[in-house]
Amino acid sequence: METNIYTVIMAGGIGSRFWPSSRTARPKQFIDILGTGESLMQMTWQRARRFSKPEQILVLTNQLYQNLVAEHLPEISKTNILTEPARNNTAPCIAYAAFKLYQKDPEAIMVILPADHLILKEDKYAEKIQTAVDFVAKNEALVTLGIQPTRPDTGYGYIQFTQNATQPTDKGRAIDTAINVLPVKSFKEKPDLVTAERYLNSRQYLWNAGIFIWKAKDVISGFKKYQPDLYALFEGGMPYYNTDQENAFIEQHYKTSPKISIDYALMEKADNVFTVPADIGWSDLGTWASLWDVKQKDDAGNVLISDQHMELSQTKGCIISKDPEKLAVIDGLTDYIVIDQKDVLLIYPKSKEQDIKHIIAKLEQQKEANRYL
C-alpha cells in the first residue's frame, strides 16, 4: 500500500430525500439503509481501507455529526474527523482537506469519496481508483470517476469526454492518456429525458459520481487560478493546520467561505480534467426509487428492507421498510414506498417521490412538526 494516498470521505449531508428514515439528527450515511448490518458510512470506510491506511483517512462532516462518525468508525482517530462550522457545499470542505494534507505531505494524493454511495463491484472499483491514482501521480491532473450510464437518467449530471489521445494542460504541455483515462470536454447539468437519451446513444457521456482523485498541490493550484478568494482564505491557515490552533482557525474563517460546489468552482473551469470510465455497480442512492432499483426483489418485484413478519397480497413493485418486530399486512399496493418509523409512517407512490421534498418544506414551516425532520 502506497504511503501518500489519503482518502477524504465527505459525510456532511442530510439526505432529506430518504425521509423519514434519514433525519437531520441521523442522516442516511449513518443508517443501515440497505439492511446489511452496516451503515453506508461504514461501507465507505471499508472500501477506503483498500488504498489508504486508517490514519490516512479523513472524514469531513458537519459539527452535528462528529460523535456519530466516531460511533460508526471506532478505528478513526479523533483528529481525523474534520468538522465544518457551516454547510457551504463541497468546494470549501475539499479546499480545507487539501491544504491540511499538503501542509502534512506535499506529495499527498487525495481520493475523495461521498459517504453515502453504493458500490456493488468493489474489486472493479478498487482497480479504477488505482488507475486514477497512478495517473495523477505522474501528471498535473484532476480526475473524476465517470460511471458508465445504463439508462437515460435525468437525475444525474453528465461528463462529456473526448477520445483524443492527448490533452494540453494549463501549462501547455500534452499528457499522453491510455484508453482508460480520457480528457473531459465538458460537464452537463441534469438533462431532460430527450437530452439524456441523446447522451446515452452518443456513447460519449458518463454519469458524474462526485468521486475525485488528484494531488493536493494540484487542486490547490486549481483553486489559486479559478477561485482566488477561496484559495486565499484557506491558504491563510497554513501555519495552523495539523496544530492545536487548526480548529480555532477553521471556526473563525470557514463560515466566510463561498457556498459553491467543486464542480462549479473548479471542475467546469479547469483544462486539466480527466475521467476514468467505470462500470462499478454504482448508485448515489439519492432516492427511495434508486434503492429499489439496486436491491434484490421478491417474485412480485417488491424490495423488503426487513422481510420478517410481512403478509403481502396483490402487492408489487413496492419498497417496504419497517421495524423487524412489527407485523405488516398489505394488500393491493403497486409501485409504492412504505416506510414505517416509530413516529412517522410514509405511504407514497414511487412515481411522485420527488414531491416528498415539498412535504418536508411544509413541515419545516410548522414549528411543532420539526421533531419529525
Side-chain angles (χ1 to χ4, degrees), residues 74-279:
E75 287 183 81
I76 196 169
S77 166
K78 185 177 180 180
T79 57
N80 281 18
I81 303 174
L82 311 186
T83 57
E84 308 161 83
R87 286 191 172 95
N88 285 2
N89 216 315
T90 51
C93 71
I94 288 173
Y96 172 22
F99 275 100
K100 177 180 173 68
L101 289 175
Y102 178 73
Q103 198 276 346
K104 178 180 181 180
D105 179 356
E107 295 302 316
I109 291 174
M110 302 172 66
V111 178
I112 298 172
L113 308 176
D116 54 0
H117 288 187
L118 173 68
I119 307 291
L120 295 175
K121 303 176 184 179
E122 296 202 354
D123 288 342
K124 182 63 71 172
Y125 162 83
E127 176 187 313
K128 296 297 183 179
I129 293 288
Q130 190 61 54
T131 295
V133 165
D134 292 343
F135 185 75
V136 302
K138 299 174 183 176
N139 300 289
E140 185 178 339
L142 309 176
V143 174
T144 179
L145 251 57
I147 306 303
Q148 298 280 7
T150 56
R151 60 187 181 275
D153 200 297
T154 60
Y156 298 142
Y158 284 72
I159 301 167
Q160 183 184 19
F161 62 86
T162 174
Q163 293 286 1
N164 290 345
T166 59
Q167 168 91 343
T169 70
D170 59 351
K171 292 190 175 180
R173 60 186 175 84
I175 293 179
D176 293 327
T177 65
I179 189 65
N180 52 4
V181 183
L182 299 170
V184 169
K185 186 174 182 180
S186 65
F187 288 85
K188 304 293 185 182
E189 295 299 310
K190 297 175 182 178
D192 58 30
L193 183 58
V194 172
T195 304
E197 288 173 342
R198 178 167 58 82
Y199 289 169
L200 185 67
N201 293 334
S202 75
R203 299 186 178 182
Q204 294 184 341
Y205 292 83
L206 303 165
W207 287 335
N208 186 0
I211 298 171
F212 306 105
I213 304 94
W214 46 52
K215 291 194 290 290
K217 64 183 179 183
D218 292 342
V219 75
I220 287 172
S221 294
F223 285 130
K224 185 176 183 179
K225 182 174 182 179
Y226 298 105
Q227 298 293 331
D229 291 344
L230 186 69
Y231 168 86
L233 189 154
F234 286 100
E235 197 275 337
M238 284 299 283
Y240 311 115
Y241 297 129
N242 304 303
T243 74
D244 56 8
Q245 299 176 67
E246 177 180 329
N247 288 340
F249 172 83
I250 291 298
E251 189 67 34
Q252 179 180 353
H253 296 283
Y254 193 98
K255 295 175 184 177
T256 66
S257 63
K259 295 181 180 180
I260 187 170
S261 72
I262 191 66
D263 286 335
Y264 283 126
L266 187 56
M267 303 301 282
E268 295 181 8
K269 296 178 172 63
D271 55 7
N272 59 334
V273 179
F274 294 80
T275 188
V276 175
D279 177 9

Side-chain angles (χ1 to χ4, degrees), residues 292 295-304 307 310 312 315-318 320:
W292 180 87
K295 283 285 286 181
Q296 184 175 352
K297 301 166 183 65
D298 67 11
D299 293 342
N302 298 305
V303 167
L304 310 177
D307 59 4
M310 285 204 195
L312 308 180
T315 294
K316 55 186 180 181
C318 293
I320 304 169

Side-chain angles (χ1 to χ4, degrees), residues 332-349:
L333 275 188
T334 299
D335 294 334
Y336 263 75
I337 303 163
V338 181
I339 311 299
D340 184 24
Q341 297 279 297
K342 182 178 180 180
D343 57 344
V344 177
L345 171 63
L346 175 73
I347 305 174
Y348 220 79

